[in-house]
Amino acid sequence: MEKVSHKLSLLWLNYKKNKAIYWMALPVVLYFLVFKYLPMYGAIIAFKDYSVGKGIWGSDWVGLQHFRDFFQSYYFWRILKNTLVLSFYQLLFGFPAPILLALLLNELRNEIFKRTVQTVSYIPHFISIVVICGMIVDFSSRDGLFNTIIEYFGGQSSALLSDPANFRTMYTASSIWQELGFSSIIYLAALSGINPELYDAANVDGASRLRQVWHITLPGIIPMILILLILRIGGLMEIGFEKIILLYNPNVYDTADVISTFVYRKGISESAEFSYTTAVGLFQSVINFTLLVGANRLSKAVSNTKLF
Amino acid sequence: MKRSWRKRLAIGICLMMGFTILAGCTGDNGNAGGAEGDGTTPISIWMSMNTNASITLKSMNEITAIKEWEKKTNTKIEFQHPAVGAETEQFNVMIASNQLPDAMFVNGDYAKLFNDGTIIRLNELIDEYAPNLKKILDENPEVAKQLKADNGDIYAIPHLRLGEYKTFGGTFIRQDWLDELKLEKPETLEEWETVLKAFKEKKGVSAPLLFGAPPKMTTMGPAAPTYLEAYGITNNIFMQDGKVVYGPIEPEYKEFLTMFHRWYQEGLIDPDFATNDQKTYDAKILSGQAGAFFTFIGGGVGRYLPALQETDPNANLTAVQYPVLNKGDEPMFTGRSWEWSSSGVVITNSNKHPEETVKALDYFFSEEGHMLKNFGVEGLTYTMKDGYPTYTDEILKNPDGLSVAQAMAKHFIANYPFVGEDDDRYNEQYYQLQQQKDAAILFSKYSENTLKVGLPPTSLTTEESTEYSKIMSDIGTYRDEMFVKFVIGVEPIENFDKYVDQINKFNVERAIEIQQAALDRYNAR
């Protein structure tokens, strides 16, 4: 009791000292409370047989029934696999790409050329996802850009977006294209924080440009890379859902249907299985949470860099 | 950190939607604030907007007949329209959040809505406040039987089709090509193959038979099943000698897939059938890449034929009878609708004026309201010629260049479902082109057969309906995917038995059982 009241009085003192800051933080706290924490109440329908008439609290409890149904569902392995594979592709190809770009840009000496490349590469980030997907669909149609190129090189035109074999490539490649430039900005910022004296010293020692990148530049941004990697892993199961909805069709469900699109279809667009899909969504969040904490721990153990 | 603000916004909106779900539980409801002071009753109606109407109007409130209806019934109607393409989503979100309008035009699972407490039972209200509808139901026991649930409840003020016209679409073929190649209209599947081959080889078109399912393209669409139906089954639940059967697991389905796979390999069907959307579907028809396709007599042919003839004056379309297996067979499935096809206006539990609402809706069953719904305002959109309501040029030759369907939708609600009864005299004039008139006669020739194979509007209990929709939603996804795979050839036809096994594992038997029980109850009504 002593301790608690002591702490509280400390908090009060702190508040008196930094009133302005506390008040400035209030909207943020309210935002999270109202938009992030309150809706969590609705998640309990995952354990209930939700009926609109009876309301969230009044519906009957069913325990883990919906989770069991999901794990036994014919589609469980497919959507789990697709979610993981697409995320993994994003991580494998999408994560290093901006680092590479940043390193390359950093080596450029011609400022004008550097700025131009940078600007051009981050513009796609500002185009709406709907427009991007519209472009991809148009380009992939039978008489679209991609097929024209394929035919020019002697290939056969085909409906590119209805072949399950193409979906992952299309999805990953277009994501990289869209986010590459914008994501590299943060690495460029980290790069500018490296002490130039290190390079001078390396120059004196006769290190080549490649050596300098390897021994000075890269180590300099490792903490940033790790932080971003942890965040990325925390969202491993949460794949760009709007984009898949806009790109996929029933033919490519085999490789394109992920947990979030499944939830969307079963939850509101085809049937209205509110409880079931809440359970599925909850499952996804739990896995994400576990991964995030795990990655953070691992990173802390290995390199002493951590997010929290 | 790498999330774009757009994604954040999207997530924010999703969460807000989640939040409104909560807010809904506090008993809030989204009633239309109305001007009750002047004695009019405000009524909000949720209804998706028909595309023909959305071309000229922002809301159905602007429809001439609706304005007239408001005056006659002393109400202030406020239509709430979901975004085009997101109707189901918005409906489901609305129901889940319990933020209800006064009334909703739906085509759906009424018993579940009632048992959830979303909508109210209308029997007493109809007895007291809807004399015109009551009279129709009393005079047509068959219709009353369709409308009433097993326990006798009525949940909807219905859209009814009591007249002759009960088929609205089917397969059309390029008559000019048939003439050019000296071919007869195909009747059996074999003849179809010959015709499509000729289109492919002699006309060099990429999609001799066009199908797909605009606007959503999620199933095989309305066209492909007509070829399946030649085998005597359909791609869903139907009735065989009074017993409920699920088509896609029957042996005939295998024969159909074998044939369609062959057609696909030979280039007789549209290679892009699985990815078409409305835009590509239209483009293929209008650019002369399609020889035969499914469309609606009114909105489809009325649009395609004039557009085709603009570029090629010889172009001509003609309706083809539903295909059969052997010469002389009668087609069984014709897309004939029941007198009541499960659509109508329901009244929600948050409606504060259910009596006035029922009274207002009943107006469309009165003589005056019936004319208003089907023909609009006398003098403006129709004139009486020898007792026959004839459309004026405002409808038939619209000065603003609107098509008949669009002009109608601007002034009244005849060419898409709404409360009230369809008038045959509307259809007679709606089909302006000879090809349309012929099509209506041709398609309805065997339409009575469909009553022997089509399930009547049965009703399921809440438990049944939850179980049924869960089973069928899994099966539906699987069936559609496998259909494409079998036709394209990714999945060899030898695996058909495995496919049937999988559908059995989804427990199709239980789904059939549920529908059989519902059918038995319907027959016992």
Side-chain angles (χ1 to χ4, degrees), chain B residues 42-54:
Chain B
I43 300 170
S44 55
I45 303 181
W46 187 93
M47 178 174 179
S48 55
M49 188 134 175
N50 185 277
T51 43
N52 283 320
S54 65

Side-chain angles (χ1 to χ4, degrees), chain A residues 131-145:
Chain A
V131 176
I132 295 272
C133 292
M135 282 162 66
I136 299 174
V137 171
D138 265 1
F139 288 168
S140 318
S141 68
R142 261 183 192 260
D143 46 5
L145 177 72

Side-chain angles (χ1 to χ4, degrees), chain A residues 32-43, chain B residues 15 18-19 22:
Chain A
F32 277 96
L33 213 61
V34 170
F35 291 115
K36 305 268 173 179
Y37 284 89
L38 267 177
M40 283 188 196
Y41 167 67
Chain B
L15 286 166
F19 186 61
L22 280 171

Side-chain angles (χ1 to χ4, degrees), chain B residues 25 140 169 191 215 274-275 287 327 339 354 381 428 430 467:
Chain B
C25 297
N140 300 281
E191 289 170 8
T275 47
S287 67
K327 200 103 188 150
E339 282 78 7
T381 50
E428 283 161 12
Y430 184 35
E467 201 182 350

Side-chain angles (χ1 to χ4, degrees), chain A residues 91-299:
Chain A
L91 199 63
L92 191 67
F93 302 106
F95 187 71
I99 302 177
L100 215 62
L101 181 72
L103 290 177
L104 289 173
L105 284 173
N106 192 46
E107 294 302 308
L108 282 177
R109 288 293 163 257
N110 183 337
E111 272 301 309
I112 296 171
F113 182 63
K114 186 176 161 182
R115 294 253 168 261
T116 317
V117 171
Q118 224 192 315
T119 311
V120 168
S121 70
Y122 73 60
I123 281 177
H125 171 83
F126 295 101
I127 306 175
S128 149
I129 194 82
V130 179
V131 176
I132 295 272
C133 292
M135 282 162 66
I136 299 174
V137 171
D138 265 1
F139 288 168
S140 318
S141 68
R142 261 183 192 260
D143 46 5
L145 177 72
F146 298 149
N147 270 319
T148 316
I149 296 174
I150 291 172
E151 276 181 342
Y152 180 79
F153 287 105
Q156 272 265 319
S157 83
S158 60
L160 293 170
L161 273 179
S162 58
D163 186 349
N166 292 337
F167 188 82
R168 286 172 182 155
T169 319
M170 290 273 211
Y171 180 83
T172 316
S174 60
S175 300
I176 294 176
W177 170 73
Q178 199 187 359
E179 293 302 329
L180 178 68
F182 197 77
S183 317
S184 70
I185 291 176
I186 195 162
Y187 296 111
L188 283 169
L191 282 172
S192 66
I194 298 173
N195 189 349
E197 281 176 23
L198 291 171
Y199 291 103
D200 296 340
N203 258 331
V204 172
D205 288 345
S208 68
R209 290 287 287 274
L210 212 60
R211 282 251 156 221
Q212 289 180 19
V213 169
W214 187 247
H215 288 290
I216 302 170
T217 320
L218 212 50
I221 55 170
I222 283 272
M224 182 59 74
I225 296 181
L226 280 174
I227 294 274
L228 289 180
L229 188 64
I230 297 169
L231 282 175
R232 192 70 176 253
I233 288 173
L236 200 62
M237 298 273 283
E238 180 193 313
I239 193 90
F241 135 90
E242 311 95 326
K243 197 169 161 193
I244 297 185
I245 297 264
L246 290 166
L247 283 180
Y248 79 169
N249 55 62
N251 303 325
V252 293
Y253 279 176
D254 246 359
T255 55
D257 198 16
V258 296
I259 297 180
S260 48
T261 50
F262 181 79
V263 169
Y264 172 76
R265 283 208 318 279
K266 301 271 159 173
I268 60 170
S269 109
E270 280 173 19
S271 38
E273 299 167 41
F274 300 124
S275 281
Y276 179 61
T277 47
T278 308
V280 177
L282 205 55
F283 164 76
Q284 169 172 315
S285 306
V286 168
I287 303 269
N288 266 336
F289 181 72
T290 320
L291 283 173
L292 179 69
V293 173
N296 194 46
R297 284 249 172 100
L298 192 72
S299 163

